């Protein structure tokens, strides 16, 4: 999606269960990333329901685990990487803020995860350069879910 971020591959050593979880998240993320943006947003909102918001340390750990098992996710494939991190966190009962956005000068698209509005694993200046177009957060998903139950 963007050449804004190319992440150095993590040398983190994972236990077998954590490695399997990360690989499953990466595989499913790759499938989801090929769908159209509206479908993807709906699916991620559904997946994020009833999750508590992730902490910065949980998100950073998941980020490092994803890039340690996938060369693709540690490269230019920010959409795959951000979805995989969110999915890995969801397997653990939490959800980060998942963002996609654009920078207009020059035009670039990017996807990332954040906690309390602060991007995780991204270079400084991301918030100033990119305008979020889609945001899927745990609280939003739970509020929408709760609102539909009351109706």
């Amino acid at each position: 999606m963007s050449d804004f971020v190319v992440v150095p591959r993590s040398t983190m050593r994972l236990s077998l269960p954590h490695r399997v979880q990360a690989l499953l998240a990466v595989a499913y993320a790759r499938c989801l990333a090929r769908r159209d943006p509206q479908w993807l947003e709906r699916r991620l909102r559904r997946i994020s329901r009833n999750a508590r918001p992730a902490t910065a340390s949980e998100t950073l750990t998941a980020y490092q685990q994803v890039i340690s098992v996938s060369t693709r996710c540690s490269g230019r494939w920010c959409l795959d990487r951000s979805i995989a991190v969110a999915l890995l966190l969801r397997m653990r009962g939490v959800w980060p803020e998942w963002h996609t956005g654009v920078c207009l000068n020059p035009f670039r698209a990017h996807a990332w995860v954040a906690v309390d509005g602060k991007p995780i694993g991204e270079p400084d200046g991301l918030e100033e350069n990119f305008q979020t177009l889609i945001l899927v957060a745990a609280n939003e998903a739970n509020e929408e879910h709760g609102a539909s139950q009351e109706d």
Side-chain angles (χ1 to χ4, degrees), residues 21-91:
Q21 270 189 336
L23 286 168
L24 288 171
V26 167
Y28 189 37
R30 192 162 184 196
C31 295
L32 292 178
R34 277 145 190 67
R35 302 301 297 259
D36 72 79
Q38 290 176 330
W39 185 93
L40 175 60
E41 180 182 6
R42 284 192 310 270
R43 178 55 56 106
L44 292 179
R45 287 192 190 286
R46 192 172 306 130
I47 291 169
S48 69
R49 285 184 183 154
N50 299 320
R52 70 172 174 77
T55 65
S57 65
E58 289 170 326
T59 305
L60 183 58
T61 298
Y63 183 94
Q64 291 169 337
Q65 290 173 343
V66 164
I67 64 173
S68 75
V69 299
S70 171
T71 302
R72 182 180 184 89
C73 287
S74 67
R76 299 177 65 180
W77 299 92
C78 60
L79 183 60
D80 292 27
R81 178 174 57 244
S82 65
I83 295 170
V85 171
L87 293 173
L88 183 56
L89 287 166
R90 186 61 185 106
M91 289 180 202

Side-chain angles (χ1 to χ4, degrees), residues 87-139:
L87 293 173
L88 183 56
L89 287 166
R90 186 61 185 106
M91 289 180 202
R92 297 169 182 169
V94 297
W95 187 260
E97 296 169 7
W98 181 83
H99 295 255
T100 59
V102 296
C103 175
L104 297 178
N105 191 13
F107 179 80
R108 294 173 288 178
H110 191 53
W112 66 95
V113 292
V115 173
D116 297 328
K118 294 199 57 87
I120 303 295
E122 303 291 334
D124 292 337
L126 182 84
E127 307 98 306
E128 293 85 34
N129 291 310
F130 283 85
Q131 176 66 44
T132 296
L133 297 178
I134 301 173
L135 167 64
V136 178
N139 290 335

